[in-house]
């Protein structure tokens, strides 16, 4: 396996259905992508090229080879490193309304118990310009290093709405960009990859029961385990995104959205106002 054997990289964005995109491509026998996000060019570069290339196996066997690491979009170093080693690759970025993406990111962290219920302290631009929740939604700025290095023709910019509204057309765009023949969606093509409504064991209780994980792991999925989990799991009550906070986020992201319209050549008028 060599760097030249890698054909494409999905660079992001987080909370934008890129896992759905990956699963659709992995369902094609003519495509190979490793399951985990490798984050090599952003977080794991010190591991060296041998580690990175080993993640793809030893024989591409004539398949189209790629990987997905959402952290690449947010790392200027990743753009430079990718171009150094993979100047020939085609890039895919799938983006989401930054207000909705920020709220989805907050809900994910809230679900994990990593943030509190005071949503304003995390999502109000006047209170905190948190890179993970707010700054990462400034997509135009994050795409610029890739466009400067690779050129616009190597970057396909997609939007989350395409997955929700017309997944067949969305994948047709991806396959055309990657030089793949037409192919029907996988059977779960229209479904969600992750569901934040699934009941969850409360974070405090999870911490208290952490010592039991090695004992419980072999039992996961069994009727007895799921029955016991059902007794303590609860539906998560997420703090709502108020209209006032949504407006402040819309104002914060408007310049970035305008720049993204120029980059993508697509109208994003529906991103400017409240979501129906």
């Amino acid at each position: 396996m060599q760097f030249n054997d890698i054909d494409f990289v999905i660079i992001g964005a987080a909370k934008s259905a890129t896992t759905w995109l990956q699963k659709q491509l992995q369902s094609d026998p003519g495509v190979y992508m490793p399951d985990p996000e490798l984050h090599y060019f952003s977080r794991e570069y010190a591991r060296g090229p041998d580690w990175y290339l080993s993640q793809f196996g030893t024989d591409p066997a004539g398949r189209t080879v790629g990987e997905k690491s959402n952290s690449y979009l947010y790392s200027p170093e990743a753009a430079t490193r990718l171009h150094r080693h993979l100047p020939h690759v085609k890039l895919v970025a799938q983006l989401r309304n930054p207000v909705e993406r920020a709220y989805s990111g907050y809900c994910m962290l809230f679900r994990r118990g990593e943030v509190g219920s005071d949503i304003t302290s995390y999502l109000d631009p006047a209170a905190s310009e948190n890179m993970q929740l707010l700054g990462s939604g400034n997509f135009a700025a994050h795409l610029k290093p890739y466009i400067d290095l690779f050129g616009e023709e190597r970057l396909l910019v997609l939007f989350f709405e395409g997955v929700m509204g017309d997944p067949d057309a969305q994948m047709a765009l991806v396959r055309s960009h990657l030089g793949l023949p037409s192919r029907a969606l996988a059977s779960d093509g229209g479904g969600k990859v992750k569901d934040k409504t699934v009941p969850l064991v409360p974070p405090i209780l999870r911490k208290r029961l952490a010592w039991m994980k090695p004992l419980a792991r072999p039992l996961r999925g069994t009727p007895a385990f799921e029955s016991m989990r059902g007794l303590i799991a609860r539906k998560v009550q997420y703090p709502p995104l108020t209209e006032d906070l949504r407006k402040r986020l819309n104002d914060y992201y408007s310049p970035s959205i305008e720049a993204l319209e120029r980059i993508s050549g697509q109208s994003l008028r529906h991103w400017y106002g409240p979501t129906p």
Side-chain angles (χ1 to χ4, degrees), residues 12-64:
K15 314 306 296 180
S16 302
T18 54
T19 299
W20 175 87
L21 201 61
Q22 179 183 23
K23 288 183 179 296
Q24 287 296 327
L25 288 168
Q26 287 176 322
S27 72
D28 184 347
V31 175
Y32 178 78
M33 297 179 71
D35 278 320
E37 294 194 22
L38 303 180
H39 302 294
Y40 173 66
F41 295 104
S42 53
R43 306 172 187 166
E44 305 293 343
Y45 197 63
R47 288 177 177 260
D50 289 343
W51 175 86
Y52 177 67
L53 294 172
S54 71
Q55 306 305 304
F56 296 89
T58 57
D59 183 11
R63 291 184 289 180
T64 298

Side-chain angles (χ1 to χ4, degrees), residues 73 79 138-151 155 263:
L73 181 62
N138 289 312
F139 298 128
H142 297 309
L143 288 174
K144 188 177 186 303
Y146 287 94
I147 294 173
D148 290 345
L149 290 168
F150 288 88
L155 172 66
I263 289 173

Side-chain angles (χ1 to χ4, degrees), residues 50-276:
D50 289 343
W51 175 86
Y52 177 67
L53 294 172
S54 71
Q55 306 305 304
F56 296 89
T58 57
D59 183 11
R63 291 184 289 180
T64 298
V65 179
E67 65 129 322
K68 174 183 81 79
S69 294
N70 288 335
S71 61
Y72 293 166
L73 181 62
Y74 314 120
S75 169
E77 292 82 5
T80 301
R81 292 164 179 169
L82 265 165
H83 189 259
R84 181 184 306 144
H85 296 287
L86 304 172
H88 60 284
V89 296
K90 295 179 179 179
L91 304 170
V92 178
Q94 185 160 274
L95 313 175
R96 184 177 183 178
N97 181 323
V99 176
E100 298 301 322
R101 192 219 62 82
Y103 181 59
S104 179
Y106 167 81
C107 289
M108 177 189 71
L109 297 179
F110 182 81
R111 183 177 176 86
R112 294 176 179 174
E114 297 178 19
V115 297
S117 60
D118 184 7
I119 186 173
T120 301
S121 66
Y122 298 99
L123 293 187
D124 185 352
S128 171
E129 194 165 357
N130 181 291
M131 176 57 192
Q132 182 176 7
L133 292 176
L134 296 184
S136 56
N138 289 312
F139 298 128
H142 297 309
L143 288 174
K144 188 177 186 303
Y146 287 94
I147 294 173
D148 290 345
L149 290 168
F150 288 88
E152 293 183 358
E153 68 281 356
R154 288 197 171 273
L155 172 66
L156 174 65
V157 179
L158 302 169
F159 298 100
F160 180 82
E161 291 88 345
V163 177
M164 298 296 104
D166 193 344
D168 291 278
Q170 189 87 333
M171 280 309 302
L173 289 172
V174 175
R175 297 186 68 82
S176 175
H177 180 64
L178 300 184
L180 297 169
S182 299
R183 190 172 188 268
L185 287 179
S187 58
D188 64 345
K192 295 180 179 180
V193 174
K194 299 172 184 176
D195 187 356
K196 70 178 184 180
T197 66
V198 173
L200 190 71
V201 176
I204 294 178
L205 189 54
R206 287 206 307 271
K207 291 179 181 178
R208 291 177 179 175
L209 299 177
W211 65 273
M212 294 182 61
K213 279 188 177 181
L215 300 174
R217 191 172 294 117
L219 302 176
R220 288 184 180 276
T222 65
F225 179 88
E226 295 303 322
S227 177
M228 182 63 69
R229 184 180 184 279
L231 294 175
I232 58 177
R234 298 288 182 270
K235 184 177 180 179
V236 181
Q237 298 296 322
Y238 298 98
L241 180 63
T242 65
E243 287 306 311
D244 179 63
L245 183 53
R246 183 186 293 276
K247 182 181 184 306
R248 277 177 274 171
L249 285 167
N250 279 327
D251 292 342
Y252 169 74
Y253 283 121
S254 285
S256 179
I257 294 173
E258 292 174 3
L260 184 58
E261 287 182 313
R262 292 191 292 271
I263 289 173
S264 67
Q266 301 182 53
S267 172
L268 297 171
R269 293 173 62 91
H270 55 290
W271 280 12
Y272 287 101
T275 300

